[in-house]
mmCIF file of all heavy atoms in Angstrom:
data_model
loop_
_atom_site.group_PDB
_atom_site.id
_atom_site.type_symbol
_atom_site.label_atom_id
_atom_site.label_comp_id
_atom_site.label_asym_id
_atom_site.label_seq_id
_atom_site.Cartn_x
_atom_site.Cartn_y
_atom_site.Cartn_z
ATOM 1 N N ALA A 132 -33.526 -19.007 -4.213
ATOM 2 C CA ALA A 132 -33.400 -18.048 -5.328
ATOM 3 C C ALA A 132 -32.317 -18.503 -6.299
ATOM 4 O O ALA A 132 -32.437 -18.311 -7.512
ATOM 5 C CB ALA A 132 -33.092 -16.653 -4.788
ATOM 6 N N ILE A 133 -31.271 -19.133 -5.776
ATOM 7 C CA ILE A 133 -30.225 -19.678 -6.661
ATOM 8 C C ILE A 133 -30.834 -20.801 -7.509
ATOM 9 O O ILE A 133 -30.685 -20.832 -8.732
ATOM 10 C CB ILE A 133 -29.014 -20.197 -5.837
ATOM 11 C CG1 ILE A 133 -28.273 -19.014 -5.182
ATOM 12 C CG2 ILE A 133 -28.053 -20.997 -6.729
ATOM 13 C CD1 ILE A 133 -27.201 -19.414 -4.185
ATOM 14 N N ALA A 134 -31.572 -21.698 -6.838
ATOM 15 C CA ALA A 134 -32.185 -22.826 -7.555
ATOM 16 C C ALA A 134 -33.175 -22.332 -8.609
ATOM 17 O O ALA A 134 -33.324 -22.942 -9.672
ATOM 18 C CB ALA A 134 -32.873 -23.759 -6.555
ATOM 19 N N ALA A 135 -33.839 -21.208 -8.319
ATOM 20 C CA ALA A 135 -34.839 -20.675 -9.256
ATOM 21 C C ALA A 135 -34.206 -19.827 -10.354
ATOM 22 O O ALA A 135 -34.910 -19.319 -11.235
ATOM 23 C CB ALA A 135 -35.863 -19.836 -8.480
ATOM 24 N N GLY A 136 -32.887 -19.621 -10.283
ATOM 25 C CA GLY A 136 -32.208 -18.833 -11.321
ATOM 26 C C GLY A 136 -32.387 -17.336 -11.176
ATOM 27 O O GLY A 136 -32.116 -16.571 -12.097
ATOM 28 N N LYS A 137 -32.843 -16.902 -9.986
ATOM 29 C CA LYS A 137 -33.010 -15.453 -9.786
ATOM 30 C C LYS A 137 -31.688 -14.791 -9.413
ATOM 31 O O LYS A 137 -31.455 -13.627 -9.710
ATOM 32 C CB LYS A 137 -34.014 -15.187 -8.649
ATOM 33 C CG LYS A 137 -35.420 -15.582 -8.955
ATOM 34 C CD LYS A 137 -36.315 -15.267 -7.756
ATOM 35 C CE LYS A 137 -37.758 -15.587 -8.051
ATOM 36 N NZ LYS A 137 -38.620 -15.298 -6.891
ATOM 37 N N ILE A 138 -30.862 -15.518 -8.672
ATOM 38 C CA ILE A 138 -29.551 -14.994 -8.285
ATOM 39 C C ILE A 138 -28.493 -16.076 -8.577
ATOM 40 O O ILE A 138 -28.828 -17.267 -8.713
ATOM 41 C CB ILE A 138 -29.481 -14.576 -6.785
ATOM 42 C CG1 ILE A 138 -29.600 -15.798 -5.862
ATOM 43 C CG2 ILE A 138 -30.552 -13.560 -6.444
ATOM 44 C CD1 ILE A 138 -29.326 -15.496 -4.388
ATOM 45 N N GLY A 139 -27.243 -15.624 -8.656
ATOM 46 C CA GLY A 139 -26.185 -16.580 -8.959
ATOM 47 C C GLY A 139 -25.560 -17.179 -7.710
ATOM 48 O O GLY A 139 -25.394 -18.402 -7.590
ATOM 49 N N PHE A 140 -25.233 -16.307 -6.758
ATOM 50 C CA PHE A 140 -24.478 -16.756 -5.578
ATOM 51 C C PHE A 140 -24.913 -15.967 -4.344
ATOM 52 O O PHE A 140 -25.407 -14.848 -4.454
ATOM 53 C CB PHE A 140 -22.969 -16.536 -5.799
ATOM 54 C CG PHE A 140 -22.453 -17.262 -7.015
ATOM 55 C CD1 PHE A 140 -22.395 -16.629 -8.249
ATOM 56 C CD2 PHE A 140 -22.059 -18.591 -6.929
ATOM 57 C CE1 PHE A 140 -21.947 -17.296 -9.380
ATOM 58 C CE2 PHE A 140 -21.605 -19.280 -8.051
ATOM 59 C CZ PHE A 140 -21.552 -18.625 -9.284
ATOM 60 N N ALA A 141 -24.650 -16.578 -3.173
ATOM 61 C CA ALA A 141 -24.938 -15.907 -1.907
ATOM 62 C C ALA A 141 -23.626 -15.457 -1.279
ATOM 63 O O ALA A 141 -22.626 -16.182 -1.320
ATOM 64 C CB ALA A 141 -25.661 -16.866 -0.963
ATOM 65 N N GLY A 142 -23.633 -14.253 -0.716
ATOM 66 C CA GLY A 142 -22.447 -13.737 -0.036
ATOM 67 C C GLY A 142 -22.812 -13.183 1.321
ATOM 68 O O GLY A 142 -23.998 -13.157 1.705
ATOM 69 N N VAL A 143 -21.798 -12.735 2.036
ATOM 70 C CA VAL A 143 -22.024 -12.183 3.370
ATOM 71 C C VAL A 143 -21.167 -10.935 3.525
ATOM 72 O O VAL A 143 -20.075 -10.855 2.959
ATOM 73 C CB VAL A 143 -21.726 -13.252 4.451
ATOM 74 C CG1 VAL A 143 -20.257 -13.661 4.469
ATOM 75 C CG2 VAL A 143 -22.144 -12.791 5.842
ATOM 76 N N THR A 144 -21.666 -9.953 4.273
ATOM 77 C CA THR A 144 -20.884 -8.740 4.517
ATOM 78 C C THR A 144 -20.927 -8.398 6.000
ATOM 79 O O THR A 144 -21.817 -8.847 6.737
ATOM 80 C CB THR A 144 -21.429 -7.522 3.725
ATOM 81 O OG1 THR A 144 -22.501 -6.918 4.456
ATOM 82 C CG2 THR A 144 -21.917 -7.901 2.335
ATOM 83 N N GLY A 145 -19.974 -7.581 6.436
ATOM 84 C CA GLY A 145 -19.985 -7.151 7.833
ATOM 85 C C GLY A 145 -18.729 -6.405 8.203
ATOM 86 O O GLY A 145 -17.801 -6.277 7.395
ATOM 87 N N HIS A 146 -18.717 -5.898 9.439
ATOM 88 C CA HIS A 146 -17.542 -5.201 9.963
ATOM 89 C C HIS A 146 -16.851 -6.009 11.046
ATOM 90 O O HIS A 146 -15.718 -5.716 11.406
ATOM 91 C CB HIS A 146 -17.940 -3.830 10.534
ATOM 92 C CG HIS A 146 -18.365 -2.862 9.477
ATOM 93 N ND1 HIS A 146 -19.585 -2.943 8.848
ATOM 94 C CD2 HIS A 146 -17.726 -1.813 8.923
ATOM 95 C CE1 HIS A 146 -19.664 -1.970 7.948
ATOM 96 N NE2 HIS A 146 -18.555 -1.279 7.974
ATOM 97 N N SER A 147 -17.537 -6.992 11.609
ATOM 98 C CA SER A 147 -16.941 -7.813 12.660
ATOM 99 C C SER A 147 -16.145 -8.954 12.014
ATOM 100 O O SER A 147 -16.713 -9.892 11.447
ATOM 101 C CB SER A 147 -18.037 -8.404 13.567
ATOM 102 O OG SER A 147 -17.502 -9.512 14.270
ATOM 103 N N ILE A 148 -14.825 -8.847 12.123
ATOM 104 C CA ILE A 148 -13.969 -9.865 11.492
ATOM 105 C C ILE A 148 -14.278 -11.238 12.099
ATOM 106 O O ILE A 148 -14.363 -12.248 11.399
ATOM 107 C CB ILE A 148 -12.471 -9.517 11.703
ATOM 108 C CG1 ILE A 148 -12.162 -8.118 11.161
ATOM 109 C CG2 ILE A 148 -11.575 -10.575 11.059
ATOM 110 C CD1 ILE A 148 -12.254 -7.964 9.679
ATOM 111 N N GLU A 149 -14.474 -11.236 13.409
ATOM 112 C CA GLU A 149 -14.743 -12.497 14.101
ATOM 113 C C GLU A 149 -15.990 -13.191 13.530
ATOM 114 O O GLU A 149 -15.985 -14.393 13.247
ATOM 115 C CB GLU A 149 -14.951 -12.174 15.590
ATOM 116 C CG GLU A 149 -15.022 -13.361 16.481
ATOM 117 C CD GLU A 149 -15.571 -12.986 17.866
ATOM 118 O OE1 GLU A 149 -15.595 -11.789 18.216
ATOM 119 O OE2 GLU A 149 -15.995 -13.917 18.575
ATOM 120 N N MET A 150 -17.046 -12.409 13.321
ATOM 121 C CA MET A 150 -18.274 -13.016 12.818
ATOM 122 C C MET A 150 -18.168 -13.401 11.347
ATOM 123 O O MET A 150 -18.748 -14.396 10.901
ATOM 124 C CB MET A 150 -19.478 -12.082 13.039
ATOM 125 C CG MET A 150 -19.860 -11.892 14.481
ATOM 126 S SD MET A 150 -19.718 -13.399 15.494
ATOM 127 C CE MET A 150 -20.763 -14.542 14.622
ATOM 128 N N LEU A 151 -17.383 -12.638 10.599
ATOM 129 C CA LEU A 151 -17.197 -12.993 9.184
ATOM 130 C C LEU A 151 -16.414 -14.295 9.061
ATOM 131 O O LEU A 151 -16.677 -15.114 8.178
ATOM 132 C CB LEU A 151 -16.512 -11.856 8.426
ATOM 133 C CG LEU A 151 -17.380 -10.604 8.217
ATOM 134 C CD1 LEU A 151 -16.588 -9.508 7.517
ATOM 135 C CD2 LEU A 151 -18.651 -10.917 7.429
ATOM 136 N N ILE A 152 -15.461 -14.475 9.960
ATOM 137 C CA ILE A 152 -14.709 -15.747 9.959
ATOM 138 C C ILE A 152 -15.685 -16.901 10.203
ATOM 139 O O ILE A 152 -15.668 -17.918 9.499
ATOM 140 C CB ILE A 152 -13.591 -15.708 11.028
ATOM 141 C CG1 ILE A 152 -12.481 -14.741 10.573
ATOM 142 C CG2 ILE A 152 -13.025 -17.105 11.291
ATOM 143 C CD1 ILE A 152 -11.432 -14.431 11.629
ATOM 144 N N GLU A 153 -16.573 -16.719 11.176
ATOM 145 C CA GLU A 153 -17.576 -17.760 11.464
ATOM 146 C C GLU A 153 -18.452 -18.026 10.236
ATOM 147 O O GLU A 153 -18.745 -19.167 9.896
ATOM 148 C CB GLU A 153 -18.476 -17.326 12.630
ATOM 149 C CG GLU A 153 -17.766 -17.258 13.980
ATOM 150 C CD GLU A 153 -17.141 -18.586 14.376
ATOM 151 O OE1 GLU A 153 -17.840 -19.608 14.265
ATOM 152 O OE2 GLU A 153 -15.951 -18.588 14.765
#
Side-chain angles (χ1 to χ4, degrees):
I133 291 171
K137 292 180 177 179
I138 67 171
F140 302 93
V143 65
T144 84
H146 291 75
S147 161
I148 304 292
E149 189 194 343
M150 292 322 303
L151 290 177
I152 289 170
E153 292 302 313

